[in-house]
Short mmCIF file of all heavy atoms in Angstrom, two decimals:
data_model
loop_
_atom_site.label_atom_id
_atom_site.label_comp_id
_atom_site.label_asym_id
_atom_site.label_seq_id
_atom_site.Cartn_x
_atom_site.Cartn_y
_atom_site.Cartn_z
N MET A 1 -12.30 18.59 -3.62
CA MET A 1 -11.56 17.55 -4.30
C MET A 1 -11.29 17.96 -5.74
O MET A 1 -10.26 17.64 -6.28
CB MET A 1 -12.33 16.24 -4.24
CG MET A 1 -11.65 15.09 -4.91
SD MET A 1 -12.63 13.61 -4.72
CE MET A 1 -11.37 12.42 -4.50
N GLY A 2 -12.20 18.62 -6.37
CA GLY A 2 -12.05 19.00 -7.76
C GLY A 2 -13.02 18.27 -8.65
O GLY A 2 -13.87 17.52 -8.18
N ASP A 3 -12.90 18.47 -9.94
CA ASP A 3 -13.78 17.86 -10.91
C ASP A 3 -13.25 16.51 -11.34
O ASP A 3 -12.32 16.42 -12.14
CB ASP A 3 -13.93 18.79 -12.12
CG ASP A 3 -14.93 18.28 -13.13
OD1 ASP A 3 -15.84 17.50 -12.74
OD2 ASP A 3 -14.81 18.65 -14.31
N VAL A 4 -13.79 15.45 -10.79
CA VAL A 4 -13.32 14.10 -11.07
C VAL A 4 -13.87 13.64 -12.42
O VAL A 4 -15.07 13.64 -12.64
CB VAL A 4 -13.74 13.11 -9.98
CG1 VAL A 4 -13.31 11.69 -10.30
CG2 VAL A 4 -13.19 13.53 -8.63
N GLU A 5 -12.97 13.30 -13.35
CA GLU A 5 -13.38 12.83 -14.66
C GLU A 5 -13.60 11.32 -14.66
O GLU A 5 -14.57 10.82 -15.20
CB GLU A 5 -12.32 13.18 -15.70
CG GLU A 5 -12.18 14.65 -15.93
CD GLU A 5 -11.07 14.98 -16.91
OE1 GLU A 5 -10.52 14.05 -17.55
OE2 GLU A 5 -10.75 16.17 -17.04
N GLN A 6 -12.66 10.60 -14.05
CA GLN A 6 -12.73 9.15 -14.02
C GLN A 6 -12.11 8.64 -12.74
O GLN A 6 -11.20 9.26 -12.19
CB GLN A 6 -11.93 8.53 -15.17
CG GLN A 6 -12.74 8.07 -16.31
CD GLN A 6 -11.90 7.27 -17.33
OE1 GLN A 6 -10.70 7.24 -17.29
NE2 GLN A 6 -12.61 6.64 -18.22
N ILE A 7 -12.59 7.49 -12.27
CA ILE A 7 -11.96 6.75 -11.20
C ILE A 7 -11.72 5.36 -11.77
O ILE A 7 -12.65 4.70 -12.22
CB ILE A 7 -12.81 6.68 -9.94
CG1 ILE A 7 -13.09 8.11 -9.42
CG2 ILE A 7 -12.13 5.83 -8.88
CD1 ILE A 7 -14.04 8.16 -8.25
N VAL A 8 -10.45 4.94 -11.76
CA VAL A 8 -10.07 3.67 -12.39
C VAL A 8 -9.33 2.81 -11.37
O VAL A 8 -8.34 3.24 -10.76
CB VAL A 8 -9.16 3.92 -13.61
CG1 VAL A 8 -8.81 2.60 -14.28
CG2 VAL A 8 -9.81 4.85 -14.59
N LEU A 9 -9.81 1.60 -11.18
CA LEU A 9 -9.14 0.62 -10.32
C LEU A 9 -8.00 0.00 -11.12
O LEU A 9 -8.21 -0.47 -12.24
CB LEU A 9 -10.13 -0.46 -9.90
CG LEU A 9 -9.61 -1.56 -8.98
CD1 LEU A 9 -9.23 -0.99 -7.64
CD2 LEU A 9 -10.68 -2.64 -8.81
N ILE A 10 -6.78 0.06 -10.58
CA ILE A 10 -5.61 -0.48 -11.25
C ILE A 10 -4.87 -1.41 -10.28
O ILE A 10 -5.24 -1.52 -9.12
CB ILE A 10 -4.67 0.65 -11.76
CG1 ILE A 10 -4.24 1.54 -10.59
CG2 ILE A 10 -5.36 1.48 -12.82
CD1 ILE A 10 -3.21 2.62 -10.97
N GLY A 11 -3.85 -2.06 -10.77
CA GLY A 11 -3.04 -2.91 -9.91
C GLY A 11 -3.63 -4.30 -9.72
O GLY A 11 -4.37 -4.81 -10.55
N ASP A 12 -3.29 -4.90 -8.57
CA ASP A 12 -3.66 -6.29 -8.29
C ASP A 12 -5.16 -6.53 -8.36
O ASP A 12 -5.63 -7.52 -8.91
CB ASP A 12 -3.13 -6.73 -6.94
CG ASP A 12 -1.63 -6.93 -6.94
OD1 ASP A 12 -1.03 -6.99 -8.04
OD2 ASP A 12 -1.04 -7.02 -5.84
N TYR A 13 -5.95 -5.67 -7.74
CA TYR A 13 -7.40 -5.89 -7.73
C TYR A 13 -7.99 -5.87 -9.11
O TYR A 13 -8.94 -6.60 -9.41
CB TYR A 13 -8.09 -4.89 -6.82
CG TYR A 13 -8.10 -5.35 -5.37
CD1 TYR A 13 -7.02 -5.08 -4.53
CD2 TYR A 13 -9.15 -6.08 -4.86
CE1 TYR A 13 -7.01 -5.53 -3.24
CE2 TYR A 13 -9.15 -6.53 -3.56
CZ TYR A 13 -8.07 -6.25 -2.73
OH TYR A 13 -8.06 -6.70 -1.45
N ALA A 14 -7.46 -5.07 -10.00
CA ALA A 14 -7.94 -5.05 -11.37
C ALA A 14 -7.59 -6.35 -12.09
O ALA A 14 -8.24 -6.73 -13.06
CB ALA A 14 -7.37 -3.87 -12.14
N ARG A 15 -6.57 -7.04 -11.59
CA ARG A 15 -6.15 -8.33 -12.15
C ARG A 15 -6.87 -9.49 -11.47
O ARG A 15 -6.64 -10.65 -11.79
CB ARG A 15 -4.65 -8.51 -11.99
CG ARG A 15 -3.83 -7.59 -12.81
CD ARG A 15 -2.32 -7.90 -12.61
NE ARG A 15 -1.53 -6.84 -13.17
CZ ARG A 15 -1.03 -5.81 -12.49
NH1 ARG A 15 -1.21 -5.72 -11.20
NH2 ARG A 15 -0.30 -4.89 -13.09
N GLY A 16 -7.68 -9.19 -10.45
CA GLY A 16 -8.40 -10.24 -9.72
C GLY A 16 -7.59 -10.84 -8.59
O GLY A 16 -7.92 -11.93 -8.12
N ILE A 17 -6.55 -10.16 -8.15
CA ILE A 17 -5.69 -10.67 -7.08
C ILE A 17 -5.96 -9.86 -5.81
O ILE A 17 -5.81 -8.65 -5.78
CB ILE A 17 -4.20 -10.52 -7.45
CG1 ILE A 17 -3.92 -11.31 -8.74
CG2 ILE A 17 -3.30 -10.97 -6.32
CD1 ILE A 17 -2.57 -11.00 -9.36
N ASP A 18 -6.39 -10.55 -4.74
CA ASP A 18 -6.66 -9.90 -3.46
C ASP A 18 -5.37 -9.81 -2.66
O ASP A 18 -5.09 -10.61 -1.79
CB ASP A 18 -7.71 -10.68 -2.70
CG ASP A 18 -8.15 -10.01 -1.41
OD1 ASP A 18 -7.63 -8.92 -1.09
OD2 ASP A 18 -9.01 -10.57 -0.73
N SER A 19 -4.57 -8.79 -2.97
CA SER A 19 -3.27 -8.63 -2.29
C SER A 19 -3.37 -7.73 -1.07
O SER A 19 -2.40 -7.59 -0.33
CB SER A 19 -2.27 -8.01 -3.28
OG SER A 19 -2.65 -6.69 -3.59
N GLY A 20 -4.51 -7.08 -0.88
CA GLY A 20 -4.69 -6.18 0.24
C GLY A 20 -4.34 -4.74 -0.07
O GLY A 20 -4.57 -3.87 0.73
N ALA A 21 -3.79 -4.47 -1.25
CA ALA A 21 -3.46 -3.10 -1.66
C ALA A 21 -4.29 -2.73 -2.87
O ALA A 21 -4.28 -3.43 -3.88
CB ALA A 21 -1.98 -2.97 -1.98
N ILE A 22 -5.04 -1.65 -2.77
CA ILE A 22 -5.93 -1.22 -3.85
C ILE A 22 -5.37 0.03 -4.48
O ILE A 22 -5.11 1.02 -3.80
CB ILE A 22 -7.34 -0.94 -3.31
CG1 ILE A 22 -7.91 -2.20 -2.65
CG2 ILE A 22 -8.25 -0.42 -4.41
CD1 ILE A 22 -9.20 -1.97 -1.90
N GLY A 23 -5.14 -0.01 -5.79
CA GLY A 23 -4.65 1.15 -6.52
C GLY A 23 -5.77 1.81 -7.28
O GLY A 23 -6.52 1.14 -7.97
N VAL A 24 -5.90 3.12 -7.12
CA VAL A 24 -6.96 3.86 -7.79
C VAL A 24 -6.34 5.08 -8.45
O VAL A 24 -5.64 5.85 -7.82
CB VAL A 24 -8.06 4.29 -6.80
CG1 VAL A 24 -9.15 5.07 -7.52
CG2 VAL A 24 -8.65 3.10 -6.07
N LEU A 25 -6.62 5.23 -9.74
CA LEU A 25 -6.15 6.38 -10.52
C LEU A 25 -7.32 7.32 -10.72
O LEU A 25 -8.39 6.91 -11.15
CB LEU A 25 -5.63 5.89 -11.87
CG LEU A 25 -5.15 6.96 -12.86
CD1 LEU A 25 -3.88 7.61 -12.34
CD2 LEU A 25 -4.91 6.34 -14.21
N ILE A 26 -7.12 8.59 -10.38
CA ILE A 26 -8.18 9.56 -10.54
C ILE A 26 -7.68 10.75 -11.33
O ILE A 26 -6.51 11.11 -11.24
CB ILE A 26 -8.77 10.00 -9.19
CG1 ILE A 26 -7.67 10.43 -8.22
CG2 ILE A 26 -9.59 8.90 -8.56
CD1 ILE A 26 -8.16 10.86 -6.87
N GLY A 27 -8.56 11.37 -12.08
CA GLY A 27 -8.36 12.49 -13.00
C GLY A 27 -7.20 13.44 -12.82
O GLY A 27 -6.20 13.12 -12.25
N LYS A 28 -7.37 14.63 -13.34
CA LYS A 28 -6.33 15.64 -13.30
C LYS A 28 -6.92 16.93 -12.72
O LYS A 28 -8.14 17.07 -12.64
CB LYS A 28 -5.78 15.89 -14.68
CG LYS A 28 -6.83 16.31 -15.69
CD LYS A 28 -6.25 16.44 -17.07
CE LYS A 28 -7.37 16.78 -18.05
NZ LYS A 28 -6.92 16.86 -19.39
N GLY A 29 -6.06 17.84 -12.32
CA GLY A 29 -6.52 19.11 -11.79
C GLY A 29 -7.25 19.02 -10.47
O GLY A 29 -8.14 19.79 -10.18
N LEU A 30 -6.88 18.02 -9.68
CA LEU A 30 -7.56 17.80 -8.42
C LEU A 30 -6.73 18.32 -7.24
O LEU A 30 -5.53 18.56 -7.38
CB LEU A 30 -7.84 16.30 -8.23
CG LEU A 30 -8.66 15.66 -9.35
CD1 LEU A 30 -8.77 14.16 -9.14
CD2 LEU A 30 -10.05 16.27 -9.42
N ASN A 31 -7.34 18.46 -6.10
CA ASN A 31 -6.69 18.95 -4.91
C ASN A 31 -5.92 17.80 -4.25
O ASN A 31 -6.49 17.00 -3.49
CB ASN A 31 -7.74 19.53 -3.95
CG ASN A 31 -7.13 20.14 -2.72
OD1 ASN A 31 -6.06 19.75 -2.26
ND2 ASN A 31 -7.82 21.12 -2.17
N ALA A 32 -4.63 17.71 -4.53
CA ALA A 32 -3.79 16.59 -4.06
C ALA A 32 -3.71 16.53 -2.54
O ALA A 32 -3.70 15.44 -1.96
CB ALA A 32 -2.40 16.70 -4.65
N ASP A 33 -3.66 17.68 -1.87
CA ASP A 33 -3.59 17.68 -0.41
C ASP A 33 -4.86 17.10 0.21
O ASP A 33 -4.79 16.31 1.15
CB ASP A 33 -3.37 19.11 0.12
CG ASP A 33 -2.01 19.66 -0.24
OD1 ASP A 33 -1.06 18.86 -0.39
OD2 ASP A 33 -1.88 20.88 -0.36
N TYR A 34 -5.98 17.47 -0.32
CA TYR A 34 -7.25 16.94 0.16
C TYR A 34 -7.33 15.42 -0.05
O TYR A 34 -7.72 14.68 0.83
CB TYR A 34 -8.43 17.63 -0.53
CG TYR A 34 -9.77 17.10 -0.10
CD1 TYR A 34 -10.32 17.49 1.11
CD2 TYR A 34 -10.48 16.21 -0.90
CE1 TYR A 34 -11.56 16.99 1.53
CE2 TYR A 34 -11.71 15.71 -0.50
CZ TYR A 34 -12.24 16.11 0.72
OH TYR A 34 -13.45 15.60 1.12
N ILE A 35 -6.93 14.99 -1.25
CA ILE A 35 -6.99 13.58 -1.57
C ILE A 35 -6.03 12.77 -0.67
O ILE A 35 -6.36 11.70 -0.21
CB ILE A 35 -6.68 13.36 -3.07
CG1 ILE A 35 -7.84 13.94 -3.89
CG2 ILE A 35 -6.45 11.89 -3.39
CD1 ILE A 35 -7.57 14.06 -5.37
N ALA A 36 -4.84 13.32 -0.41
CA ALA A 36 -3.87 12.63 0.45
C ALA A 36 -4.41 12.40 1.85
O ALA A 36 -4.18 11.34 2.45
CB ALA A 36 -2.57 13.42 0.51
N GLN A 37 -5.18 13.34 2.39
CA GLN A 37 -5.71 13.16 3.73
C GLN A 37 -6.88 12.16 3.74
O GLN A 37 -7.27 11.69 4.80
CB GLN A 37 -6.09 14.49 4.37
CG GLN A 37 -7.17 15.30 3.70
CD GLN A 37 -8.58 14.99 4.20
OE1 GLN A 37 -8.77 14.50 5.29
NE2 GLN A 37 -9.55 15.24 3.36
N LEU A 38 -7.44 11.85 2.58
CA LEU A 38 -8.51 10.86 2.50
C LEU A 38 -7.99 9.43 2.64
O LEU A 38 -8.71 8.56 3.13
CB LEU A 38 -9.24 10.98 1.17
CG LEU A 38 -10.14 12.18 0.95
CD1 LEU A 38 -10.72 12.14 -0.46
CD2 LEU A 38 -11.25 12.23 1.98
N GLU A 39 -6.77 9.18 2.19
CA GLU A 39 -6.23 7.81 2.17
C GLU A 39 -6.37 7.09 3.51
O GLU A 39 -6.93 6.00 3.56
CB GLU A 39 -4.79 7.80 1.70
CG GLU A 39 -4.67 7.94 0.19
CD GLU A 39 -3.25 7.79 -0.30
OE1 GLU A 39 -2.50 6.92 0.21
OE2 GLU A 39 -2.85 8.54 -1.22
N PRO A 40 -5.83 7.64 4.63
CA PRO A 40 -5.95 6.90 5.89
C PRO A 40 -7.40 6.71 6.35
O PRO A 40 -7.74 5.68 6.95
CB PRO A 40 -5.15 7.75 6.88
CG PRO A 40 -4.99 9.08 6.26
CD PRO A 40 -5.10 8.88 4.78
N LYS A 41 -8.26 7.66 6.05
CA LYS A 41 -9.67 7.53 6.44
C LYS A 41 -10.34 6.40 5.68
O LYS A 41 -11.08 5.60 6.26
CB LYS A 41 -10.40 8.84 6.18
CG LYS A 41 -9.94 9.98 7.05
CD LYS A 41 -10.62 11.27 6.68
CE LYS A 41 -10.11 12.42 7.52
NZ LYS A 41 -10.76 13.68 7.19
N ILE A 42 -10.07 6.32 4.38
CA ILE A 42 -10.65 5.24 3.57
C ILE A 42 -10.10 3.89 4.00
O ILE A 42 -10.84 2.92 4.12
CB ILE A 42 -10.39 5.50 2.07
CG1 ILE A 42 -11.14 6.77 1.61
CG2 ILE A 42 -10.84 4.29 1.24
CD1 ILE A 42 -10.72 7.23 0.22
N GLU A 43 -8.78 3.83 4.25
CA GLU A 43 -8.16 2.59 4.69
C GLU A 43 -8.79 2.06 5.98
O GLU A 43 -9.04 0.87 6.11
CB GLU A 43 -6.66 2.78 4.87
CG GLU A 43 -5.91 2.96 3.58
CD GLU A 43 -4.44 3.30 3.75
OE1 GLU A 43 -3.99 3.52 4.89
OE2 GLU A 43 -3.77 3.34 2.73
N GLU A 44 -9.06 2.98 6.89
CA GLU A 44 -9.67 2.57 8.16
C GLU A 44 -11.08 2.05 7.94
O GLU A 44 -11.50 1.05 8.54
CB GLU A 44 -9.71 3.74 9.12
CG GLU A 44 -10.21 3.38 10.50
CD GLU A 44 -10.16 4.55 11.47
OE1 GLU A 44 -9.30 5.43 11.33
OE2 GLU A 44 -11.00 4.56 12.38
N LEU A 45 -11.82 2.68 7.05
CA LEU A 45 -13.20 2.26 6.76
C LEU A 45 -13.27 0.89 6.11
O LEU A 45 -14.15 0.10 6.42
CB LEU A 45 -13.88 3.28 5.87
CG LEU A 45 -14.36 4.57 6.50
CD1 LEU A 45 -14.83 5.55 5.45
CD2 LEU A 45 -15.48 4.29 7.50
N ILE A 46 -12.37 0.63 5.16
CA ILE A 46 -12.49 -0.62 4.38
C ILE A 46 -11.51 -1.71 4.82
O ILE A 46 -11.58 -2.83 4.32
CB ILE A 46 -12.33 -0.35 2.86
CG1 ILE A 46 -10.93 0.14 2.51
CG2 ILE A 46 -13.39 0.63 2.38
CD1 ILE A 46 -10.66 0.25 1.01
N GLY A 47 -10.58 -1.38 5.71
CA GLY A 47 -9.64 -2.40 6.20
C GLY A 47 -8.65 -2.88 5.16
O GLY A 47 -8.21 -4.02 5.21
N ARG A 48 -8.31 -2.03 4.23
CA ARG A 48 -7.35 -2.35 3.17
C ARG A 48 -6.42 -1.17 2.95
O ARG A 48 -6.79 -0.03 3.19
CB ARG A 48 -8.06 -2.61 1.83
CG ARG A 48 -9.05 -3.69 1.82
CD ARG A 48 -8.39 -5.00 1.60
NE ARG A 48 -9.44 -6.03 1.48
CZ ARG A 48 -9.19 -7.28 1.56
NH1 ARG A 48 -7.98 -7.70 1.74
NH2 ARG A 48 -10.15 -8.14 1.45
N LYS A 49 -5.23 -1.45 2.46
CA LYS A 49 -4.30 -0.41 2.08
C LYS A 49 -4.71 0.10 0.70
O LYS A 49 -5.03 -0.68 -0.17
CB LYS A 49 -2.88 -0.99 2.03
CG LYS A 49 -1.83 -0.03 1.55
CD LYS A 49 -1.51 0.99 2.60
CE LYS A 49 -0.40 1.92 2.06
NZ LYS A 49 -0.48 3.22 2.63
N ILE A 50 -4.76 1.43 0.54
CA ILE A 50 -5.07 1.98 -0.78
C ILE A 50 -3.95 2.92 -1.23
O ILE A 50 -3.21 3.45 -0.39
CB ILE A 50 -6.41 2.74 -0.83
CG1 ILE A 50 -6.39 3.95 0.07
CG2 ILE A 50 -7.57 1.82 -0.49
CD1 ILE A 50 -7.50 4.92 -0.24
N GLN A 51 -3.83 3.06 -2.51
CA GLN A 51 -2.87 3.98 -3.10
C GLN A 51 -3.65 4.80 -4.12
O GLN A 51 -4.12 4.28 -5.11
CB GLN A 51 -1.74 3.21 -3.76
CG GLN A 51 -0.97 2.34 -2.80
CD GLN A 51 -0.16 1.26 -3.48
OE1 GLN A 51 -0.51 0.81 -4.56
NE2 GLN A 51 0.90 0.84 -2.83
N LEU A 52 -3.80 6.09 -3.83
CA LEU A 52 -4.53 6.97 -4.73
C LEU A 52 -3.51 7.70 -5.61
O LEU A 52 -2.56 8.28 -5.10
CB LEU A 52 -5.37 7.98 -3.95
CG LEU A 52 -6.46 7.40 -3.07
CD1 LEU A 52 -7.14 8.49 -2.27
CD2 LEU A 52 -7.48 6.64 -3.91
N TYR A 53 -3.70 7.67 -6.89
CA TYR A 53 -2.81 8.31 -7.85
C TYR A 53 -3.60 9.37 -8.61
O TYR A 53 -4.73 9.12 -9.03
CB TYR A 53 -2.26 7.30 -8.87
CG TYR A 53 -1.52 6.16 -8.24
CD1 TYR A 53 -2.14 4.94 -8.07
CD2 TYR A 53 -0.20 6.30 -7.84
CE1 TYR A 53 -1.46 3.86 -7.51
CE2 TYR A 53 0.48 5.24 -7.26
CZ TYR A 53 -0.15 4.03 -7.11
OH TYR A 53 0.51 2.97 -6.54
N ILE A 54 -3.00 10.51 -8.77
CA ILE A 54 -3.61 11.54 -9.61
C ILE A 54 -2.80 11.54 -10.90
O ILE A 54 -1.59 11.69 -10.89
CB ILE A 54 -3.52 12.94 -8.93
CG1 ILE A 54 -4.32 12.91 -7.62
CG2 ILE A 54 -4.06 14.00 -9.86
CD1 ILE A 54 -4.19 14.17 -6.83
N GLY A 55 -3.51 11.37 -12.01
CA GLY A 55 -2.79 11.29 -13.28
C GLY A 55 -3.51 12.00 -14.39
O GLY A 55 -4.71 12.23 -14.33
N THR A 56 -2.75 12.34 -15.38
CA THR A 56 -3.33 13.00 -16.55
C THR A 56 -3.40 12.03 -17.74
O THR A 56 -4.07 12.31 -18.72
CB THR A 56 -2.51 14.23 -16.98
OG1 THR A 56 -1.16 13.84 -17.22
CG2 THR A 56 -2.55 15.29 -15.90
N ARG A 57 -2.70 10.93 -17.62
CA ARG A 57 -2.73 9.92 -18.69
C ARG A 57 -2.98 8.56 -18.10
O ARG A 57 -2.52 8.22 -17.04
CB ARG A 57 -1.37 9.86 -19.41
CG ARG A 57 -1.03 11.11 -20.14
CD ARG A 57 0.24 10.90 -20.91
NE ARG A 57 0.71 12.18 -21.41
CZ ARG A 57 1.71 12.31 -22.20
NH1 ARG A 57 2.38 11.25 -22.60
NH2 ARG A 57 2.09 13.49 -22.62
N PHE A 58 -3.71 7.78 -18.86
CA PHE A 58 -3.99 6.40 -18.46
C PHE A 58 -3.84 5.51 -19.68
O PHE A 58 -4.46 5.78 -20.71
CB PHE A 58 -5.40 6.29 -17.87
CG PHE A 58 -5.80 4.88 -17.61
CD1 PHE A 58 -5.14 4.15 -16.64
CD2 PHE A 58 -6.79 4.28 -18.34
CE1 PHE A 58 -5.51 2.83 -16.40
CE2 PHE A 58 -7.15 2.98 -18.11
CZ PHE A 58 -6.50 2.25 -17.13
N THR A 59 -3.04 4.49 -19.55
CA THR A 59 -2.83 3.53 -20.65
C THR A 59 -3.82 2.40 -20.45
O THR A 59 -3.69 1.63 -19.50
CB THR A 59 -1.40 3.00 -20.65
OG1 THR A 59 -0.51 4.09 -20.70
CG2 THR A 59 -1.16 2.08 -21.81
N SER A 60 -4.81 2.33 -21.30
CA SER A 60 -5.83 1.30 -21.15
C SER A 60 -5.33 -0.11 -21.45
O SER A 60 -6.07 -1.07 -21.32
CB SER A 60 -7.06 1.64 -22.01
OG SER A 60 -6.68 1.64 -23.37
N LYS A 61 -4.06 -0.22 -21.83
CA LYS A 61 -3.49 -1.55 -22.09
C LYS A 61 -3.23 -2.29 -20.78
O LYS A 61 -3.15 -3.51 -20.77
CB LYS A 61 -2.19 -1.42 -22.88
CG LYS A 61 -2.42 -0.89 -24.28
CD LYS A 61 -1.13 -0.75 -25.04
CE LYS A 61 -1.38 -0.19 -26.42
NZ LYS A 61 -0.15 0.06 -27.16
N GLN A 62 -3.06 -1.56 -19.68
CA GLN A 62 -2.85 -2.22 -18.40
C GLN A 62 -4.20 -2.69 -17.84
O GLN A 62 -5.23 -2.09 -18.13
CB GLN A 62 -2.14 -1.31 -17.41
CG GLN A 62 -2.96 -0.12 -16.94
CD GLN A 62 -2.14 0.81 -16.07
OE1 GLN A 62 -0.93 0.75 -16.04
NE2 GLN A 62 -2.81 1.70 -15.36
N PRO A 63 -4.20 -3.77 -17.04
CA PRO A 63 -5.46 -4.23 -16.47
C PRO A 63 -6.09 -3.12 -15.62
O PRO A 63 -5.42 -2.47 -14.84
CB PRO A 63 -5.06 -5.41 -15.60
CG PRO A 63 -3.74 -5.86 -16.14
CD PRO A 63 -3.08 -4.63 -16.67
N HIS A 64 -7.41 -2.89 -15.82
CA HIS A 64 -8.09 -1.84 -15.09
C HIS A 64 -9.60 -2.10 -15.10
O HIS A 64 -10.10 -2.86 -15.90
CB HIS A 64 -7.82 -0.48 -15.73
CG HIS A 64 -8.40 -0.34 -17.10
ND1 HIS A 64 -7.83 -0.92 -18.21
CD2 HIS A 64 -9.52 0.29 -17.53
CE1 HIS A 64 -8.57 -0.64 -19.27
NE2 HIS A 64 -9.60 0.09 -18.89
N ILE A 65 -10.27 -1.43 -14.17
CA ILE A 65 -11.72 -1.44 -14.10
C ILE A 65 -12.15 0.00 -13.90
O ILE A 65 -11.74 0.64 -12.94
CB ILE A 65 -12.24 -2.33 -12.96
CG1 ILE A 65 -11.79 -3.77 -13.16
CG2 ILE A 65 -13.76 -2.25 -12.84
CD1 ILE A 65 -12.05 -4.68 -11.97
N ILE A 66 -12.99 0.53 -14.79
CA ILE A 66 -13.48 1.89 -14.63
C ILE A 66 -14.65 1.87 -13.64
O ILE A 66 -15.67 1.22 -13.88
CB ILE A 66 -13.91 2.49 -16.00
CG1 ILE A 66 -12.70 2.58 -16.93
CG2 ILE A 66 -14.56 3.86 -15.78
CD1 ILE A 66 -13.01 3.02 -18.32
N LEU A 67 -14.43 2.55 -12.52
CA LEU A 67 -15.44 2.61 -11.48
C LEU A 67 -16.40 3.79 -11.66
O LEU A 67 -17.55 3.72 -11.23
CB LEU A 67 -14.77 2.70 -10.10
CG LEU A 67 -13.81 1.59 -9.74
CD1 LEU A 67 -13.09 1.90 -8.44
CD2 LEU A 67 -14.54 0.26 -9.66
N TYR A 68 -15.90 4.85 -12.25
CA TYR A 68 -16.70 6.06 -12.45
C TYR A 68 -16.19 6.79 -13.68
O TYR A 68 -15.00 6.89 -13.88
CB TYR A 68 -16.59 6.98 -11.23
CG TYR A 68 -17.21 8.33 -11.44
CD1 TYR A 68 -18.58 8.53 -11.37
CD2 TYR A 68 -16.42 9.44 -11.71
CE1 TYR A 68 -19.15 9.78 -11.57
CE2 TYR A 68 -16.97 10.69 -11.90
CZ TYR A 68 -18.34 10.86 -11.83
OH TYR A 68 -18.89 12.09 -12.04
N ASP A 69 -17.10 7.28 -14.50
CA ASP A 69 -16.75 8.08 -15.66
C ASP A 69 -17.81 9.17 -15.84
O ASP A 69 -18.96 8.83 -16.13
CB ASP A 69 -16.68 7.20 -16.91
CG ASP A 69 -16.12 7.91 -18.13
OD1 ASP A 69 -16.13 9.17 -18.16
OD2 ASP A 69 -15.70 7.22 -19.05
N ASN A 70 -17.44 10.42 -15.65
CA ASN A 70 -18.44 11.48 -15.72
C ASN A 70 -18.84 11.82 -17.15
O ASN A 70 -19.72 12.63 -17.37
CB ASN A 70 -18.00 12.75 -14.98
CG ASN A 70 -16.94 13.54 -15.71
OD1 ASN A 70 -16.42 13.13 -16.76
ND2 ASN A 70 -16.56 14.67 -15.16
N LYS A 71 -18.23 11.20 -18.13
CA LYS A 71 -18.56 11.42 -19.54
C LYS A 71 -19.71 10.53 -19.99
O LYS A 71 -20.22 10.69 -21.08
CB LYS A 71 -17.35 11.19 -20.42
CG LYS A 71 -16.22 12.16 -20.12
CD LYS A 71 -14.99 11.80 -20.88
CE LYS A 71 -13.82 12.64 -20.42
NZ LYS A 71 -12.55 12.15 -20.89
N LYS A 72 -20.07 9.56 -19.17
CA LYS A 72 -21.11 8.61 -19.59
C LYS A 72 -22.42 8.93 -18.90
O LYS A 72 -22.60 9.34 -17.86
CB LYS A 72 -20.68 7.20 -19.27
CG LYS A 72 -19.52 6.78 -20.13
CD LYS A 72 -19.18 5.35 -19.95
CE LYS A 72 -18.05 5.01 -20.92
NZ LYS A 72 -17.74 3.63 -20.93
#
C-alpha cells in the first residue's frame, strides 16, 4: 500500500450525515492499483459504498475527521 501518513474521513459522514457513501482521503505516494482493489472488498465487509481518494493536499476547512495520523 505504501507509507500512509494520514487517513481522513471526508464528505457526508464527516458532517454527521448517514448517506451510505463514505469518503476517505489517504496520503501521497501510495500504490493506487492496490488501493483500488481494496474498495469492493471493504464495501462488502461494511455494507456501505466507499470512495478512497489519494491526495497530496488536504484543506482542513472542509468538514473532516482524522482517523489515523502517523505523525502523532
Side-chain angles (χ1 to χ4, degrees):
M1 181 178 218
D3 184 25
V4 178
E5 294 177 10
Q6 259 189 347
I7 299 175
V8 182
L9 181 65
I10 58 175
D12 288 346
Y13 275 86
R15 292 183 192 96
I17 301 168
D18 185 359
S19 67
I22 300 171
V24 180
L25 177 68
I26 51 181
K28 58 184 176 183
L30 303 175
N31 184 331
D33 292 332
Y34 178 78
I35 292 168
Q37 63 90 23
L38 289 177
E39 283 186 39
K41 293 176 183 180
I42 295 170
E43 289 174 354
E44 185 176 331
L45 283 172
I46 66 173
R48 302 275 186 196
K49 176 74 179 151
I50 64 163
Q51 299 161 333
L52 298 176
Y53 302 99
I54 298 174
T56 57
R57 294 185 191 186
F58 172 67
T59 305
S60 62
K61 293 179 183 177
Q62 67 186 16
H64 67 283
I65 299 171
I66 297 174
L67 302 173
Y68 171 78
D69 188 341
N70 74 355
K71 297 173 189 167
K72 292 186 178 186

